[in-house]
Amino acid sequence: MKKVLHIVGARPNFMKVAPIHRAISERGSLSQKLVHTGQHYDVKMSDVFFSDLGMPAPDAHLGVGSGSHAEQTARVMLELEKVFVSEKPDLVSVVGDVNSTLSAALVAAKMGIPLSHVEAGLRSFERTMPEEINRILTDRVADLLLTPSADADANLLREGLEPARIRLVGNVMIDSLLSARDRALRLPTLPDLGLTPRGYAVCTLHRASNVDDPTVLGGLLSALGHVASRLPVVFPVHPRTRKRFAEMGFGPTLERTPGLRLVDPMGYLEFLALTSQARLVFTDSGGLQEETTVLGIPCLTVRDTTERPITVDVGTNLVVGTDPVRIQNAADRILDGYEKKGRIPDRWDGHTGERIAQVYEQFLGVGEASRLAAV
Ligand code: UD1
């Protein structure tokens, strides 16, 4: 049987790989293995997602951990090369834009192993963003470019990538969301936190450009303080952000901010229970812009750009930058009842994993999909 090797490394990868893994396993025409690089290693940043998403434990764990970009990328490359030599995959499948994604792409390309990039073509057009470099380089060397939306196809074509490599498959992360939503809503997350549906806001912040600069972070926290004066704000704090709070001395101010609840990072289901019933989401995450669009929850993205413009053009997302006054005004409008209404983009329908499994069968010349293509 032809073998697909999936590479996961960091939190936002898990909900993208789970539906692909499930679809391949249900179709039964390919063998597959899951390799975890260990870029994220805390139980709350990694292990809990495997159980929440019903994903099997990784077949290999490389344990690379944290480090500078060069260290982390290089360590993943060194370890993955050994895995690719022993596993001899017919296709390497990577998702998203984290350092582990780029490392795997480079190793596969150099070893002449076909590479698929899921979530190809997203561009923020901000070269200072590490993820943008990872996206551009991964797309450049991928044999299959599986895109979530037509804007991504347009970006790839503009960069001169061959149309034959590109397939608009839809947003695979939404498969995970739709299949987990009912289970999430049965959890006692809201009562446990003393919250009522639509009676609170959710905040996440972890982008280097926001949390590594004390002026930017201070401004964001002051805007958050304003929102928290109007309704409770739950803020699951990413480990990187928690470190910055300590280094920059924001801890005491945050503890004194009325209405603000700092909590540990949450599992997939618990966090979905929280976001799907929020009044407002305040974030610099990429995935959350997409999830709020599907959930119909207003989202304020505290960045200057987004690589996911469809969430603004079609969905509930507003990109409001990092100026605290602008953020407060945008939040006030929503809380005063002027919410942006949106629609769900095409092919964000819960069936992207199956479409990807079909593309892999065709590409590798196996299964029903490839027999039909050959007729
Ligand atoms: C990474 C991704 C980012 C993604 C984010 C989601 C890159 C370049 N960035 O950022 O695109 O949105 O994951 O979380 O790949 N840490 C822990 N425990 C962990 C993981 C990290 O304590 O399990 C701390 C360490 O101090 C580490 C820091 O967080 O140095 C940053 O981790 P890293 O993996 O480098 O990047 P993220 O900020 O998590």
Side-chain angles (χ1 to χ4, degrees):
M1 255 193 189
K2 296 277 171 88
K3 188 196 285 179
V4 178
L5 217 56
H6 305 274
I7 313 302
V8 293
R11 185 169 64 176
N13 293 160
F14 307 130
M15 54 294 269
K16 294 170 192 166
V17 169
I20 309 173
H21 194 278
R22 187 175 316 118
I24 290 180
S25 142
E26 280 169 7
R27 296 172 72 86
S29 54
L30 294 167
S31 81
Q32 56 181 344
K33 283 200 173 170
L34 191 59
V35 181
H36 192 324
T37 68
Q39 174 172 348
H40 283 175
Y41 43 86
D42 286 355
V43 171
K44 289 180 173 163
M45 296 295 287
S46 176
D47 305 23
V48 66
F49 288 84
F50 283 77
S51 44
D52 278 1
L53 293 160
M55 209 166 28
D59 298 286
H61 199 294
L62 311 180
V64 300
S66 303
S68 70
H69 285 272
E71 284 167 347
Q72 196 173 53
T73 310
R75 277 207 294 266
V76 177
M77 286 180 71
L78 287 170
E79 294 306 316
L80 272 182
E81 188 177 47
K82 296 178 210 159
V83 175
F84 292 178
V85 166
S86 64
E87 290 292 340
K88 300 185 182 49
D90 297 290
L91 179 70
V92 168
S93 178
V94 298
V95 297
D97 55 17
V98 303
N99 285 344
S100 300
T101 308
L102 175 62
S103 305
L106 289 174
V107 178
K110 295 261 183 173
M111 291 178 71
I113 303 168
L115 174 73
S116 169
H117 184 205
V118 177
E119 202 183 87
L122 300 187
R123 297 289 182 270
S124 66
F125 302 102
E126 247 188 297
R127 286 281 177 113
T128 52
M129 194 179 182
E131 293 83 356
E132 182 77 352
I133 306 296
N134 295 343
R135 292 179 198 122
I136 292 170
L137 296 176
T138 302
D139 286 342
R140 200 73 218 173
V141 294
D143 300 275
L144 284 173
L145 296 158
L146 307 187
T147 59
S149 46
D151 54 285
D153 292 40
N155 290 335
L156 294 169
L157 293 171
R158 198 177 327 103
E159 289 174 16
L161 295 172
E162 297 90 330
R165 288 203 256 162
I166 305 169
R167 307 272 202 297
L168 204 176
V169 291
N171 191 329
V172 75
M173 204 179 65
I174 301 308
D175 291 19
S176 285
L177 184 150
L178 295 178
S179 76
R181 184 158 49 174
D182 289 348
R183 260 182 306 144
L185 287 173
R186 287 196 293 271
L187 294 179
T189 308
L190 264 53
D192 284 355
L193 287 164
L195 303 169
T196 51
R198 299 298 224 143
Y200 61 94
V202 176
C203 169
T204 77
L205 293 174
H206 73 279
R207 272 302 139 214
S209 57
N210 280 341
V211 304
D212 290 0
D213 179 332
T215 312
V216 177
L217 184 56
L220 292 174
L221 295 176
S222 87
L224 199 56
H226 171 79
V227 177
S229 71
R230 296 199 54 179
L231 82 175
V233 177
V234 184
F235 184 172
V237 187
H238 186 286
R240 176 189 197 112
T241 310
R242 171 110 27 215
K243 257 193 182 168
R244 299 295 176 261
F245 286 164
E247 288 162 7
M248 296 173 189
F250 284 118
T253 323
L254 289 170
E255 270 156 36
R256 282 198 308 272
T257 306
L260 184 61
R261 303 267 295 274
L262 301 192
V263 296
D264 282 343
M266 290 180 164
Y268 183 72
L269 292 173
E270 211 184 354
F271 190 61
L272 180 55
L274 195 68
T275 50
S276 59
Q277 301 174 82
R279 181 81 192 278
L280 164 68
V281 170
F282 177 109
T283 192
D284 59 9
S285 148
L288 207 35
Q289 297 172 49
E290 302 179 333
E291 289 166 342
T292 47
T293 274
V294 170
L295 294 166
I297 304 292
C299 179
L300 295 181
T301 296
V302 292
R303 289 171 44 190
D304 294 324
T305 58
T306 180
E307 58 288 325
R308 292 160 161 93
I310 196 165
T311 61
V312 178
D313 299 341
V314 172
T316 54
N317 188 21
L318 289 170
V319 176
V320 291
T322 54
D323 172 50
V325 176
R326 189 167 164 215
I327 298 170
Q328 278 173 217
N329 290 341
D332 280 339
R333 268 190 72 74
I334 293 169
L335 298 179
D336 291 342
Y338 299 99
E339 283 189 8
K340 184 180 175 207
K341 300 278 183 248
R343 283 184 295 109
I344 297 179
D346 286 345
R347 297 191 210 188
W348 292 26
D349 57 0
H351 298 290
T352 298
E354 292 148 43
R355 286 190 283 269
I356 292 173
Q358 284 182 26
V359 171
Y360 288 1
E361 286 179 359
Q362 274 176 22
F363 183 81
L364 295 169
V366 297
E368 189 60 20
S370 97
R371 277 194 291 281
L372 289 175
V375 173

